[in-house]
Amino acid sequence: MLTDDGDLAHRLLSPKHHVKKKYRFECKFPLTNEEVAYLQEGATLEDGYITKPSQIELDPDKKSGYITLVEGKYHQIKRMFGCYGAKVVELHRIAMGELFLPDDLPEGECRELTEED
């Protein structure tokens, strides 16, 4: 999302506002049930920070899926998955709050928000 509205950007991006952010991810190796449970409960990062709980919807291949966060620390998803050596090879934000990236929007393209958005 591109905006020149600093207040809006702050409300959407600041971890203290707990706006849900949903991502599509793919890992190099499959995740175990234990890893998924750990990530959903809140992971302890290398610097000691404990993340807020997240939601994970894992695909049948167990290497890809969706993760929803309510904060957005620096490289948080890669750092969370890295706690178990699960290397993230693809990561795309697909939603912020109730605003979803349209499925038919080509990569690298943009559109203006509507009044409904």
Side-chain angles (χ1 to χ4, degrees), residues 1-13 96 99 111 113:
M1 178 184 298
L2 295 174
T3 181
D4 60 358
D5 184 336
D7 290 334
L8 173 63
H10 181 73
R11 285 193 314 270
L12 290 173
L13 297 172
M96 291 179 72
L99 185 61
R111 71 166 177 87
L113 294 178

Side-chain angles (χ1 to χ4, degrees), residues 2-56:
L2 295 174
T3 181
D4 60 358
D5 184 336
D7 290 334
L8 173 63
H10 181 73
R11 285 193 314 270
L12 290 173
L13 297 172
S14 175
K16 73 179 183 178
H17 290 289
H18 305 293
V19 174
K20 288 184 179 181
K21 297 164 190 79
K22 187 172 187 174
Y23 299 82
R24 175 81 182 153
F25 70 86
E26 183 177 336
C27 291
K28 189 170 185 174
F29 303 106
L31 297 170
T32 66
N33 292 337
E34 294 80 20
E35 291 167 337
V36 171
Y38 176 77
L39 294 168
Q40 290 185 123
E41 292 169 6
T44 302
L45 305 180
E46 287 182 359
D47 62 4
Y49 180 79
I50 301 171
T51 65
K52 300 225 179 290
S54 61
Q55 297 173 329
I56 296 180

